[in-house]
Amino acid sequence: MRIDLHTHSRVSDGTQTPTDLVRAAADAGLDVVAITDHDITAGWAEAAEAAEDAGIGLVRGIEISTRYRGSAVHLLAYLPDPDDPMLVAELGRILEGRGARVPAMLARLRALGHPGATEEALAEVAGDTEATGRPHVADLLVRLGAVTDRDEAFRRFLSAGGPAYVDRYAADLTDMIGIVTRARGVPVVAHPWGRGSADVLDRSAFAVLKEAGLFGVEVDHLDHDPEQRARLREIAADLDLVVTGSSDHHGTGKTDHDLGCHTTDPEQLARIIARAAELGSPTSVVGAAP
Ligand code: AMP
Ligand code: ZN
Ligand code: FE
Ligand code: FE
């Protein structure tokens, strides 16, 4: 059984519709895929319909933007109640923050000599997403001929500290673990040692987060080298945290992150599903489950 627990659609910064994402997952031979768009559940319904049609299992989730001791940390929330008022309110604040920084980023790019960096032009590449992110701005720079791909746009303009980088609101990680759990979802830290979070998320931090309700850690991810994976696996075993793996697929938006390039053990997914049931989650797994 092949399970990929972290992917993105056009509802955030992936490049496929939820339907195309789920079909591609089935074509890639996956038995279960999770849709985990950034800070939003708007793709869930379409993905669920596509999963029923394709005969593949679907885990509905979210990848939530949080902060821990000043560093950005992504928190995967599996099977929460999408209508939980606290969760809805906090995701709303994050989405508002995403929207609010867009004009500032575009203004910086215009000042850097890219007059085509306007909100109208951005809307053409980003479509109608409510979760606008730097990858959409990157796509605009590609269209303007300023860079060849998202990667170059991040390297030259958009990475933290880059000339067009603008910070945005993110929820506190510990608070968000509580909010997800009260929404009867299962919190799992995404790629904890990718993108510079390694220094803040050490063993003692994981121990504290476990006390706050953290249930798992994403270990098998392209951002982690073999040594990091081995160390994370040890920490997870020590603290009895679930271990997951995923592609973090973004369609054509991220190279090498092919669907199923990393996967999650069925037993680990079974623990996540059992935890959601124990919490009384109204969100089920669509179709086949381990
Ligand atoms: P934002 O959500 O606006 O903070 O942008 C972060 C998103 O950009 C995350 O989903 C990352 O996966 C993506 N990202 C970061 N670096 C790159 C890169 N070099 N190429 C493509 N996507 C990236
Ligand atoms: Zn993304
Ligand atoms: Fe992430
Ligand atoms: Fe992701």
Side-chain angles (χ1 to χ4, degrees), residues 6 8 36 38 63 74 191 248 250 254:
H6 175 173
H8 299 271
T36 53
H38 295 283
E63 184 178 18
H74 289 175
H191 48 70
D248 200 357
H250 280 68
K254 249 189 189 181

Side-chain angles (χ1 to χ4, degrees), residues 39 53 63 97 101 103 111 121 124 131 140 162 167 172 175 202 212 216 224 241 267 271 281-282 289:
D39 308 312
D53 289 348
E63 184 178 18
R101 77 170 163 168
E124 276 173 39
L140 174 58
D167 203 9
D172 174 77
D175 291 349
D202 56 12
H224 298 148
L241 292 164
E267 275 172 39
R271 284 179 66 188
S281 172

Side-chain angles (χ1 to χ4, degrees), residues 193 198 200-209 234-235 238-239:
W193 291 353
V200 296
L201 288 173
D202 56 12
R203 194 194 177 288
S204 63
F206 277 117
V208 172
L209 294 170
E234 233 171 77
I235 292 172
D238 267 8
L239 298 175

Side-chain angles (χ1 to χ4, degrees), residues 14-104:
T15 60
Q16 295 153 300
T17 63
T19 300
D20 289 343
L21 170 66
V22 167
R23 284 187 187 151
D27 289 347
L30 291 171
D31 300 287
V32 179
V33 68
I35 182 169
T36 53
D37 276 309
H38 295 283
D39 308 312
I40 196 161
T41 62
W44 283 17
E46 185 186 321
E49 209 169 293
E52 290 200 7
D53 289 348
I56 185 177
L58 177 76
V59 174
R60 289 169 279 190
I62 318 164
E63 184 178 18
I64 305 177
S65 308
T66 76
R67 211 176 292 281
Y68 188 70
R69 297 188 191 151
S71 291
V73 174
H74 289 175
L75 183 69
L76 293 158
Y78 292 113
L79 303 167
D81 176 358
D83 299 319
D84 178 84
M86 287 266 282
L87 181 62
V88 169
E90 199 51 39
L91 293 179
R93 283 181 77 177
I94 298 171
L95 292 173
E96 227 171 84
R98 284 181 168 280
R101 77 170 163 168
V102 166

Side-chain angles (χ1 to χ4, degrees), residues 59 79 186 215 266 268-278 285 288-290:
V59 174
L79 303 167
V186 183
F215 197 73
Q268 303 294 304
L269 175 56
R271 284 179 66 188
I272 291 173
I273 294 169
R275 175 65 178 157
E278 176 185 74
V285 177

Side-chain angles (χ1 to χ4, degrees), residues 7 19 37 64 72 92 97-98 110 128 130-131 139 152 156 159 176 195 200 215 244 280 285:
T7 72
T19 300
D37 276 309
I64 305 177
R98 284 181 168 280
R110 289 195 301 274
D128 57 3
E130 288 172 67
D139 291 347
E152 188 188 349
R156 285 180 50 202
S159 291
M176 187 48 83
R195 303 183 202 296
V200 296
F215 197 73
T244 69
V285 177

